[in-house]
Amino acid sequence: MSDHGMFGKIISYPVYIFYWVMGTSGALVLALSYVNSNDHDGRFRNIYSYIISDPYALWAYEHRYIIVFVCLTMLIIWFNIKLIHERRKFYKTLENILSLKAKFDSLEGVLAENGNNTSELKEHIVSELTHIANINSVVFRDLTGHDCHFSLKTLSGNGSIGTAARSQWDSSNARDRVDSDLCSFDYRKNTAFFEIIEKKKYYFYSNHLILRWICRRYVNANRNWRRYYRACVVTPITSAQSINEINTKNTFGFACIDSKKAYFNNRISYLILTFSTSRCLDVMYRLSKKVRR
C-alpha cells in the first residue's frame, strides 16, 4: 500500500469514530427528548442519569435540537463525501478500462500485420499482456482498496496450465518465483480451473479460500498459495458458444485476479474480467498455436 493510502487511512479512522459517536449521541438525544417531551425535569433526567450526570443530561436536553441538527448535517456531509469518492472511483475505473481497450486494439493490430507466429512476436505479445495485467491489477486495487494481483494463464490441449503474463508490482518477485518453482501443472489440480472446465461454470469466485480449503473444497497445485492470496476470481478465455460446450480444446486460458486482503464484488469482478477474456481470445490462441501443431 502506498504512503498516501496509509496516510488517508490514518486520517479517516478518527473521522469515522467521530461520525459514529456523534450519530449515536444524536439518536440517543432525539429518542430521550421525545420520551421526555411532556416532562422537562423528571423522566428525562431519570432516564439519562443512567448514562451521564444530571447537569450534563439537562444541558443535552436543552440543546437537543442543535445536537440533532449538527448530527444530521454531519451525516449529510459524510454521505456527500462518500458519493464524491465513489464517483471518482467510477471515473477512474472507466479511464483504466479505456486504457485496456487501447492496449488490446494495439495488440490486435500487431497480430493482424504479422501472420507468422515468430519468437519476436511472442515476446511482444507477452510484454503487452504484462502491461494489460498491470492495468487490470490497478482497476481492482482502486475498486477494493487493497493490492490485487492479475495473471493470464494458458491452457494447452492436454490440460496443462502455464503462465502467459502477470502483473508486476510490489509482490512481483515472489509471484515470479512461483512460476519458476511450478512451471506447469494439470488443471485438475486447481479447484478454480477444474470447476470451470468440468462443472461448466461461467467463472469461479470466492472470498473465503482459506475456509474452503479447511473444508476440503479447495485444492491448489502451489502448496504456498496461502502466502499470496485468500480471495480470487477466475474466468475462462474460451471460444465456446455456451458454457456447456467448454472444454480443453476450445479454452485457451484463464484470467485470474487474487488478493490477500481484498473482498471482491461478485458481479463487478466478473464483468471486468469478462471484458479482458473476450479481448484476449485471439491473443491467447496465437500464444498456444505452436503447442497445438
Side-chain angles (χ1 to χ4, degrees):
M1 182 177 293
S2 65
D3 294 337
H4 176 74
M6 181 63 70
F7 179 77
K9 282 200 167 186
I10 293 174
I11 295 299
S12 65
Y13 286 147
V15 174
Y16 281 123
I17 293 173
F18 175 75
Y19 282 143
W20 278 107
V21 171
M22 291 295 294
T24 304
S25 301
L28 186 59
V29 169
L30 182 63
L32 292 176
S33 63
Y34 175 77
V35 170
N36 196 62
S37 58
N38 296 322
D39 189 350
H40 285 246
D41 296 322
R43 281 180 296 170
F44 177 77
R45 288 187 295 166
N46 290 335
I47 294 173
Y48 223 148
S49 62
Y50 289 103
I51 303 173
I52 57 178
S53 59
D54 281 351
Y56 296 106
L58 187 60
W59 179 89
Y61 175 75
E62 292 174 349
H63 298 85
R64 62 190 182 279
Y65 296 115
I66 296 176
I67 294 174
V68 171
F69 174 77
V70 170
C71 290
L72 290 177
T73 302
M74 295 299 294
L75 287 174
I76 293 172
I77 293 174
W78 172 82
F79 177 79
N80 281 277
I81 291 174
K82 187 175 181 180
L83 185 64
I84 292 172
H85 174 72
E86 291 297 322
R87 185 177 299 174
R88 287 177 178 174
K89 185 169 67 173
F90 175 74
Y91 288 144
K92 194 171 183 180
T93 300
L94 287 182
E95 289 176 357
N96 287 324
I97 290 177
L98 288 176
S99 298
L100 275 177
K101 180 181 181 300
K103 278 290 181 183
F104 278 119
D105 290 342
S106 175
L107 185 54
E108 289 176 355
V110 172
L111 293 179
E113 295 174 359
N114 296 272
N116 297 325
N117 208 19
T118 63
S119 59
E120 291 80 6
L121 178 61
K122 284 195 172 184
E123 289 179 3
H124 178 74
I125 291 175
V126 171
S127 176
E128 290 298 298
L129 288 179
T130 301
H131 289 300
I132 289 170
N134 287 339
I135 297 173
N136 271 291
S137 67
V138 170
V139 169
F140 281 95
R141 183 190 64 191
D142 292 340
L143 287 174
T144 63
H146 296 282
D147 289 338
C148 297
H149 182 269
F150 181 89
S151 63
L152 288 169
K153 301 292 185 180
T154 58
L155 176 65
S156 63
N158 61 7
S160 179
I161 296 289
T163 301
R166 63 171 68 251
S167 55
Q168 302 291 324
W169 294 115
D170 294 338
S171 60
S172 60
N173 293 332
R175 301 302 289 266
D176 286 342
R177 285 197 295 271
V178 174
D179 295 333
S180 61
D181 297 338
L182 188 66
C183 296
S184 63
F185 58 92
D186 190 89
Y187 75 91
R188 299 175 187 87
K189 294 183 178 180
N190 186 293
T191 299
F193 307 141
F194 175 80
E195 290 196 358
I196 290 174
I197 297 295
E198 298 295 334
K199 295 186 178 181
K200 313 300 180 185
K201 291 189 174 182
Y202 285 102
Y203 64 106
F204 176 86
Y205 158 82
S206 177
N207 283 313
H208 309 287
L209 291 177
I210 298 292
L211 180 60
R212 288 178 63 103
W213 175 73
I214 293 174
C215 297
R216 298 181 180 275
R217 294 188 57 198
Y218 182 77
V219 296
N220 195 309
N222 177 19
R223 295 180 179 179
N224 298 318
W225 65 270
R226 294 181 299 279
R227 295 181 183 177
Y228 307 114
Y229 59 92
R230 298 180 181 182
C232 74
V233 185
V234 180
T235 55
I237 304 172
T238 181
S239 60
Q241 297 300 311
S242 67
I243 195 62
N244 292 325
E245 298 175 1
I246 192 171
N247 55 51
T248 57
K249 303 301 180 184
N250 56 27
T251 301
F252 304 100
F254 301 90
C256 313
I257 187 72
D258 59 62
S259 177
K260 197 169 184 178
K261 296 181 179 180
Y263 186 92
F264 296 113
N265 180 281
N266 189 358
R267 298 302 300 170
I268 293 177
S269 300
Y270 170 72
L271 291 174
I272 294 175
L273 286 182
T274 300
F275 172 77
S276 291
T277 56
S278 63
R279 298 298 302 270
C280 272
L281 183 58
D282 292 338
V283 178
M284 299 300 282
Y285 173 74
R286 292 291 289 271
L287 282 178
S288 63
K289 197 172 183 181
K290 184 178 179 180
V291 177
R292 294 177 182 269
R293 284 179 177 176

